[in-house]
């Protein structure tokens, strides 16, 4: 009897085991199919992780996690540029918007870890080159490609503004490899307006071949001595400056008028210290400011930036330098002159401002004054201080997010308007830049 019971029990256990082997895997499979798939582990940037200095590292949940479904920047012919910019803006986090307002420089001829961080984690809007970044045309084209490739990995795929100061004369980057562009002083003294256009177009052709799409030129300061100036005549400076901007624009390069409201009267280099222009507003507006006024009035404002100097103009603001002055940027440049394009500061690492303001405060002051693009040309530490300072100021209410949106909208409109290929051919750059054909053109013009 006992053996019979054990036999029955053994049969039952075997049945249970067989049933479990079939039913349990099927149950688990059905459950897995019913549940949403888990996401892959987030990278530091998508998880909102930042450096120790970032305000978001203090425990506040970053906005990036709230807006994962952004569409990349692209042209939609059924909508206006302004409508597209508005849609993009609505998709952006505060961190992304603040980043777009920075243009930074870095050290080295390949993308550095610092530059990579600023593009990847701070979403900076632009890069500026110096000779330290440039050894040959092909190398510069490759560098531009790598920078744009890094930017295009990001959520919105916003291309970078890649800039340089290629005025000609003493302000020429990689001068041993590019064509010898004459100084603006020589152009003003020797060239016709048509020749000024031809020289600028040659310059722009070489920049475009290297993937550069912003040139911080022409200098519109009135001066008889400064080799960077086109001369002392306001009307002539405007006419030649317009030819230069038009030539750049024909190549999809954006020029920048500098240094508003005009550095010509100052004998102190703003790289070293600040200075003050004593002239009254009427005198300034019929001379120094006149070339800027005419450009704003007679040329599409999307074709050029206006760079604001760090010099003081007590006729408009008795305390603050122009770059940090709402009276000069908002009241004079925006309202009185009617400028609608991008306002960029001169380099915020210059002695004229960094001797008197912290980098954190400079960024806040410049944004509240009305600057759209903050230029920080050299040190990673300073770039982070400005970025974090502006970001925290918006969160604390010191800067209204409306002011950020206003600036970023201008930047997005610019990028949508100027959007072009983000890849250059290094071989073509080596062939075009400093070519015999370009040298011949300059010789024929007497340079």
């Amino acid at each position: 009897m006992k053996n019979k019971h054990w036999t029955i029990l053994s049969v039952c256990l075997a049945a249970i085991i067989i049933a479990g082997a079939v039913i349990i895997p099927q149950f688990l499979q059905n459950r897995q199919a019913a549940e949403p798939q888990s996401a892959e582990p987030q990278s530091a940037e998508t998880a909102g992780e930042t450096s120790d200095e970032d305000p978001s590292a203090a425990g506040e949940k970053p906005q990036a996690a709230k807006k994962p479904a952004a569409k990349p920047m692209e042209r939609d012919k059924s909508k206006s540029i302004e409508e597209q910019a508005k849609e993009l803006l609505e998709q952006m986090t505060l961190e992304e918007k603040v980043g777009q307002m920075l243009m930074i420089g870095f050290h080295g001829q390949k993308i550095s870890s610092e530059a990579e961080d600023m593009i990847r984690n701070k979403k900076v809007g632009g890069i500026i080159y110096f000779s330290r970044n440039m050894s040959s045309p092909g190398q510069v084209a490759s560098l531009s490609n790598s920078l744009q490739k890094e930017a295009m990995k990001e959520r919105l795929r916003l291309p970078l503004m890649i800039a340089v100061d290629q005025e000609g004369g003493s302000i020429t980057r990689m001068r041993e490899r590019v064509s010898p562009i004459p100084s603006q002083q020589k152009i003003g003294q020797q060239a016709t307006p048509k020749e000024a256009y031809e020289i600028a177009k040659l310059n722009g052709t070489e920049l475009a071949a290297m993937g550069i799409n912003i040139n911080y030129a022409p200098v519109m300061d009135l001066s008889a001595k400064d080799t960077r100036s086109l001369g002392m005549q306001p009307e002539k400076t405007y006419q030649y400056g317009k030819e230069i901007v038009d030539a750049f624009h024909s190549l999809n390069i954006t020029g920048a008028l500098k240094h508003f409201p005009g550095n010509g009267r100052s004998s102190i280099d703003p790289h070293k210290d600040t200075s003050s222009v004593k002239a009254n507003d009427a005198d300034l507006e019929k001379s120094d400011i006149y070339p800027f006024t005419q450009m704003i009035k007679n040329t599409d404002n999307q074709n050029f930036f206006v760079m604001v100097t760090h010099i003081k103009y007590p006729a408009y603001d008795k305390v603050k330098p122009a770059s940090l002055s709402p009276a000069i940027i908002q009241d004079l440049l925006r309202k009185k002159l009617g400028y609608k394009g991008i306002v960029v500061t001169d380099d915020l690492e210059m002695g004229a401002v960094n001797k008197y303001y912290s980098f954190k405060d400079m960024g806040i002051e410049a944004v509240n004054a009305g600057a759209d693009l903050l230029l920080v040309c050299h040190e990673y530490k300073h770039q982070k201080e400005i970025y974090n300072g502006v970001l925290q100021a918006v969160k604390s209410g010191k800067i209204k997010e409306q002011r950020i949106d206003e600036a970023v909208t201008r930047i997005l409109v610019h990028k949508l308007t100027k959007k072009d290929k983000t890849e250059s051919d290094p071989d073509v750059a080596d062939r075009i830049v400093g070519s015999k054909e370009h040298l011949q053109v300059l010789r024929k013009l007497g340079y």
Side-chain angles (χ1 to χ4, degrees):
M1 189 70 176
K2 190 178 289 185
N3 290 337
K4 183 178 179 181
H5 287 159
W6 277 112
T7 301
I8 294 170
L9 182 60
S10 298
V11 170
C12 290
L13 285 172
I16 291 170
I17 290 169
I18 292 169
V22 173
I23 295 170
I24 290 174
Q26 184 63 42
F27 169 77
L28 291 174
Q29 184 176 353
N30 292 341
R31 181 178 177 182
Q32 186 177 18
E35 291 182 349
Q37 296 297 310
S38 61
E40 292 182 6
Q42 290 179 305
S43 65
E45 57 172 343
T46 56
E49 296 175 13
T50 55
S51 67
D52 292 340
E53 293 180 318
D54 285 350
S56 57
E60 185 174 345
K61 187 178 180 181
Q63 294 188 24
K66 300 176 184 178
K67 298 185 178 182
K71 297 177 183 178
M73 187 180 91
E74 56 186 17
R75 285 177 174 166
D76 182 346
K77 293 181 180 180
S78 68
K79 297 177 181 177
S80 69
I81 294 292
E82 290 72 20
E83 288 173 329
Q84 293 174 61
K86 183 180 178 181
E87 288 183 0
L88 272 170
L89 185 74
E90 289 172 352
Q91 298 177 58
M92 295 175 74
T93 67
L94 177 60
E95 288 79 3
E96 287 169 333
K97 289 189 281 191
V98 171
Q100 283 296 303
M101 294 177 67
L102 266 67
M103 176 174 279
I104 65 160
F106 64 96
H107 298 271
Q109 294 174 6
K110 292 183 178 180
I111 182 170
S112 66
S113 58
E114 291 86 359
E116 190 175 80
D117 174 62
M118 293 302 291
I119 295 169
R120 182 176 295 177
N121 298 319
K122 309 298 188 292
K123 322 299 184 186
V124 293
I127 299 289
I128 182 168
Y129 289 156
F130 290 85
S131 292
R132 67 186 182 221
N133 305 118
M134 309 167 77
S135 62
S136 73
Q139 172 268 320
V140 178
S142 295
L143 177 58
S144 297
N145 290 345
S146 65
L147 289 163
Q148 292 288 15
K149 186 176 181 181
E150 193 63 40
M152 298 304 277
K153 291 177 184 176
E154 298 310 310
R155 202 171 64 96
L156 296 173
R157 297 180 63 209
L158 295 170
L160 291 167
M161 296 176 280
I162 299 183
V164 72
D165 293 293
Q166 199 76 331
E167 300 168 14
S170 63
I171 309 300
T172 302
R173 309 308 185 199
M174 199 173 63
R175 65 172 55 251
E176 70 282 357
R177 298 300 300 271
V178 300
S179 294
I181 305 299
S183 70
Q184 289 197 179
Q185 183 184 62
K186 284 188 176 180
I187 291 172
Q189 290 172 346
Q190 301 175 25
T192 66
K194 182 180 178 181
E195 289 170 346
Y197 181 96
E198 289 180 30
I199 294 167
K201 192 161 186 178
L202 186 152
N203 186 11
T205 299
E206 297 194 353
L207 298 181
M210 296 185 286
I212 295 167
N213 49 44
I214 308 285
N215 189 15
Y216 286 121
V219 173
M220 305 290 273
D221 305 332
L222 302 182
S223 175
K225 298 179 180 178
D226 190 350
T227 61
R228 300 172 69 191
S229 170
L230 287 160
M232 279 295 294
Q233 300 174 38
E235 178 64 24
K236 181 177 180 179
T237 297
Y238 153 61
Q239 293 289 349
Y240 280 58
K242 185 177 188 307
E243 294 294 337
I244 293 168
V245 166
D246 288 349
F248 292 155
H249 176 64
S250 73
L251 298 160
N252 210 32
I253 290 175
T254 302
L257 315 184
K258 59 187 190 185
H259 309 79
F260 186 83
N263 277 1
R265 296 175 188 251
S266 176
S267 59
I268 298 175
D269 183 352
H271 289 85
K272 298 176 181 178
D273 210 335
T274 191
S275 59
S276 183
V277 171
K278 305 300 182 185
N280 62 41
D281 56 350
D283 188 13
L284 287 166
E285 287 172 33
K286 72 181 182 183
S287 56
D288 304 60
I289 296 173
Y290 178 88
F292 297 94
T293 303
Q294 293 303 104
M295 282 290 296
I296 291 165
K297 181 180 177 181
N298 299 315
T299 305
D300 186 341
N301 290 189
Q302 294 301 322
N303 295 355
F304 58 89
F305 296 172
V306 172
M307 178 182 283
V308 184
T309 183
H310 298 315
I311 292 174
K312 293 180 180 179
Y313 297 81
Y316 299 100
D317 191 323
K318 291 180 170 58
V319 177
K320 293 181 179 179
S323 56
L324 309 182
S325 170
I328 289 175
I329 297 177
Q330 294 185 34
D331 297 340
L332 175 60
L333 180 58
R334 291 285 188 209
K335 294 178 183 176
K336 190 168 186 177
L337 303 189
Y339 178 60
K340 295 179 174 59
I342 289 174
V343 173
V344 56
T345 67
D346 209 341
D347 181 15
L348 292 174
E349 291 178 293
M350 287 183 178
V353 282
N354 74 25
K355 282 186 177 182
Y356 306 99
Y357 297 85
S358 70
F359 287 100
K360 174 184 175 181
D361 289 341
M362 262 192 287
I364 296 169
E365 293 273 355
V367 172
N368 276 333
D372 305 308
L373 192 59
L374 310 180
L375 195 57
V376 196
C377 293
H378 302 287
E379 301 305 327
Y380 175 58
K381 177 183 177 183
H382 301 155
Q383 293 158 6
K384 289 195 296 180
E385 287 176 19
I386 288 174
Y387 171 86
N388 290 326
V390 171
L391 182 61
Q392 194 58 49
V394 181
K395 291 180 178 180
S396 68
K398 289 182 181 178
I399 298 175
K400 293 181 179 179
E401 191 162 359
Q402 180 184 356
R403 168 79 269 273
I404 300 294
D405 289 349
E406 182 182 275
V408 176
T409 297
R410 291 193 185 104
I411 291 167
L412 293 175
V413 166
H414 168 79
K415 290 188 174 187
L416 284 161
T417 303
K418 295 287 186 175
K419 187 177 178 184
D420 199 2
K421 63 185 179 71
T422 54
E423 187 171 354
S424 303
D425 188 329
D427 293 332
V428 171
D430 278 330
R431 189 166 64 248
I432 288 177
V433 178
S435 66
K436 290 180 180 179
E437 292 79 7
H438 284 185
L439 293 175
Q440 288 172 356
V441 170
L442 291 173
R443 287 194 192 102
K444 285 181 180 178
L445 293 173
Y447 302 103

